[in-house]
Amino acid sequence: PPAHAAEAALALLTRLGAIDGRRRLTPVGEQLRQLAVHPRLGRVLLETRASWRAAAACALLSERLPSRAGEAATALDCDLFPLIERLPPTQRVAARDLQSQARRALGAEAPPADESDEGLRRGLYLGYADRLARRRQPHQPRLLLASGHGARLGRESGVVEAEFLVALDVTGMERSGVSEALVRLASAVDPAWIEPTAVERVHEFDPEARQVR
């Protein structure tokens, strides 16, 4: 693959906790290697300790979801919640397989699965933290992604109140001649979960005080 693509993949694996600073597999990476899904989704499964709802969410996100444009959105903390409740039979089979894989990877002594709403949202955040977004204004659809790019929350999304969210399904769109990312599915993020990925200290010389600040 191109060098920039390889670097992006390694950066994602580092963020997911799959490799360390020397690019060696971590214990989490060893577990992810046993799962037949994208590492993002594997991280969701591991964080929730192989919960059924996480497996269902991963089965949904493994496939291209149909557009829900035009649907009346209900205020939600996660757009996947109602989709999980009406999971099609074929995806139920896939979800059960993913859950079994995750259970084997975690081992027999793993704590019980976390089936709570918060547990699933936190798992989704850890899997998609690089897609973190912040609402530019309260209750408005315009977003600022962690990458620095702008985006817009689709009308079909019910995540209309959270200040922070992760973009689970993103597609391109053009608005007034300007390309913009459209977030079709999202999940709310509690601010307490967000941790800085780097700390930068900047020193500047103040010529009037003749000091470095």
Side-chain angles (χ1 to χ4, degrees):
H4 70 277
E7 286 298 323
L10 290 169
L12 176 60
L13 291 173
T14 300
R15 182 183 285 273
L16 294 174
I19 58 176
D20 61 20
R22 297 183 180 180
R23 298 183 174 178
R24 298 175 301 189
L25 274 181
T26 64
V28 169
E30 292 287 355
Q31 292 174 325
L32 288 175
R33 206 165 57 152
Q34 301 175 53
L35 305 177
V37 289
H38 190 285
R40 288 185 189 279
L41 303 179
R43 190 70 181 88
V44 177
L45 285 165
L46 296 180
E47 178 63 22
T48 60
R49 301 187 293 278
S51 77
W52 161 252
R53 298 177 79 208
C58 291
L60 286 165
L61 292 169
S62 294
E63 299 183 7
R64 181 65 178 174
L65 296 170
S67 174
R68 296 162 57 233
E71 290 188 19
T74 303
L76 299 166
D77 284 334
C78 179
D79 287 318
L80 291 179
F81 289 169
L83 299 180
I84 290 171
E85 295 301 320
R86 55 177 190 263
L87 195 69
T90 55
Q91 290 179 317
R92 284 184 176 274
V93 173
R96 282 196 291 269
D97 183 49
L98 290 175
Q99 187 180 35
S100 296
Q101 291 181 38
R103 283 174 173 170
R104 288 195 296 271
L106 288 164
E109 298 183 1
D114 184 354
E115 296 285 357
S116 68
D117 286 358
E118 182 177 333
L120 177 54
R121 287 195 300 109
R122 179 170 170 77
L124 290 167
Y125 165 63
L126 291 177
Y128 288 81
D130 60 315
R131 293 190 188 176
L132 180 67
R134 185 175 191 176
R135 207 177 300 272
R136 291 183 184 269
Q137 294 180 340
H139 309 292
Q140 296 300 310
R142 296 188 64 231
L143 308 170
L144 178 63
L145 298 172
S147 63
H149 294 98
R152 179 172 292 271
L153 191 65
R155 293 180 180 178
E156 63 266 44
S157 174
V159 185
V160 295
E161 296 181 355
E163 178 183 3
F164 294 97
L165 55 90
V166 283
L168 302 176
D169 187 23
V170 185
T171 188
M173 64 171 289
E174 188 170 302
R175 188 180 182 87
S176 302
V178 178
S179 296
E180 189 175 41
L182 177 67
V183 178
R184 301 196 308 161
L185 293 175
S187 181
V189 173
D190 289 0
W193 300 342
I194 302 171
E195 297 180 359
T197 56
V199 177
E200 182 179 7
R201 180 173 295 176
V202 178
H203 296 282
E204 295 183 351
F205 180 70
D206 184 340
E208 294 184 2
R210 301 183 66 81
Q211 293 180 344
V212 175
R213 299 185 184 278

